[in-house]
Amino acid sequence: MRYLIANWKMQLSEPESESLARGVVQRWAGEGASADGVSVVLCPSHLALERVASITKGTPVALGAQDAFWMDKGAYTGEISPVTLRELGAEYCLVGHSERREFLGETDEMVNRKTLALLKHGIVPVICVGETRAEREAGKRNAVVIDQVRAALDGVSLVGAQTVVVAYEPRWVIGTGKAVTPDDAAEMHHLIISALHDLLGADVAERQTAVIYGGSADSSNLAAFLAMPGISGTLVGGASLKQDEFAAMARITADAARA
Ligand code: 13P
């Protein structure tokens, strides 16, 4: 499976989210692009989920959320239950995005609890991992990222059709317009895939996990990323806000799926 996941962050108003979702759905269907082997996912803000769901429902475009809490219900002011996300039609949910780790103090333990809760409710967690520039410069890239993967998947065993996506997003290239090289990303993907094999067993890791790249991915560099072994797709911020650009990325992802 190839993934193209749009993370709209806190960039759009509700009407803007609705209009962009409509455009994406029309373009993706209108291209005559085969949805086979490609998951195009839109992750709007929580408040826009319902509007976007009404547009993506019954189409090949899937709905994702940007975060979830780990409890089903209770006195957790401001939080959103995975049960609610499921009711709204979310099939995917980002977990541990670097912006949440940085600005909201999200820890590996919280990421793990969220991952377990989402799997319980049949939502695919898209677990975001990645090193800071300082960590990379200190030679700690591999250790930091693999520790994040191991912590997120502590106690996880995938049953039935449960799926986990890991998004490798080097934090220091997010939003800069300068991605890491495809070789650099592929090296990290290889290590993450090895860790997934260790943690979940080779069979399950092969069938039920995918590793995708995020960080200044756009239509100019996407094909090169997707050509690398182990890179199964992209998690896209800035470029996902532009309809033409995102449609081009969907076409490139479909081409890679057919190749
Ligand atoms: P950019 O594509 O804007 O670098 O953002 C990446 C990201 O954070 C997606 O989650």
Side-chain angles (χ1 to χ4, degrees):
M1 178 62 75
R2 297 283 188 167
Y3 294 90
L4 178 64
I5 305 181
N7 177 7
W8 290 349
K9 308 191 179 185
M10 201 179 71
Q11 302 282 21
L12 302 174
S13 68
E14 284 189 66
E16 285 167 345
S17 301
E18 191 173 350
S19 145
L20 184 54
R22 196 160 276 129
V24 169
V25 167
Q26 276 165 4
R27 296 288 291 271
W28 181 231
E31 296 287 348
S34 155
D36 281 357
V38 180
S39 285
V40 175
V41 183
L42 302 181
C43 302
S45 69
H46 283 323
L47 286 178
L49 276 169
E50 196 164 7
R51 283 192 192 212
V52 173
S54 70
I55 294 160
T56 56
K57 196 167 179 210
T59 77
V61 176
L63 184 70
Q66 296 178 15
D67 183 41
F69 195 56
W70 56 79
M71 298 297 283
D72 292 359
K73 67 184 288 187
Y76 305 106
T77 304
E79 291 300 330
I80 307 278
S81 162
V83 178
T84 307
L85 295 180
R86 193 67 241 190
E87 281 167 3
L88 288 170
E91 295 175 62
Y92 296 83
C93 183
L94 308 183
V95 197
H97 192 280
S98 62
E99 287 144 17
R100 296 197 61 81
R101 293 181 193 255
E102 181 177 351
F103 301 120
L104 292 147
E106 197 148 302
T107 63
D108 282 340
E109 191 199 338
M110 292 157 80
V111 172
N112 175 241
R113 294 172 99 173
K114 292 178 179 195
T115 299
L116 288 162
L118 290 165
L119 286 168
K120 182 175 112 187
H121 291 289
I123 298 173
V124 176
V126 180
I127 301 164
C128 304
V129 297
E131 81 286 359
T132 62
R133 182 188 289 278
E135 287 162 345
R136 173 172 283 237
E137 285 172 358
K140 294 184 186 156
R141 177 193 71 167
N142 298 358
V144 165
V145 172
I146 296 306
D147 280 356
Q148 288 172 347
V149 172
R150 288 187 177 281
L153 292 176
D154 189 28
V156 168
S157 55
L158 300 179
V159 294
Q162 283 179 332
T163 303
V164 160
V165 176
V166 176
Y168 170 56
E169 298 203 302
R171 287 161 76 157
W172 50 284
V173 301
I174 290 176
T176 61
K178 287 193 185 134
V180 297
T181 65
D183 281 327
D184 188 308
E187 189 184 316
M188 200 62 241
H189 277 236
H190 176 71
L191 291 173
I192 294 171
I193 290 167
S194 300
L196 293 172
H197 279 234
D198 278 358
L199 289 165
L200 300 168
D203 269 9
V204 170
E206 284 291 325
R207 279 185 283 110
Q208 290 167 248
T209 70
V211 186
I212 65 176
Y213 170 76
S216 297
D218 60 26
S219 64
S220 72
N221 57 27
L222 180 58
F225 281 112
L226 296 179
M228 301 307 289
I231 301 187
S232 296
T234 42
L235 176 56
V236 189
S240 74
L241 301 171
K242 300 174 217 150
Q243 214 181 104
D244 289 349
E245 178 66 8
F246 194 67
M249 294 182 84
R251 269 200 308 277
I252 293 165
T253 306
D255 288 345
R258 278 191 291 268

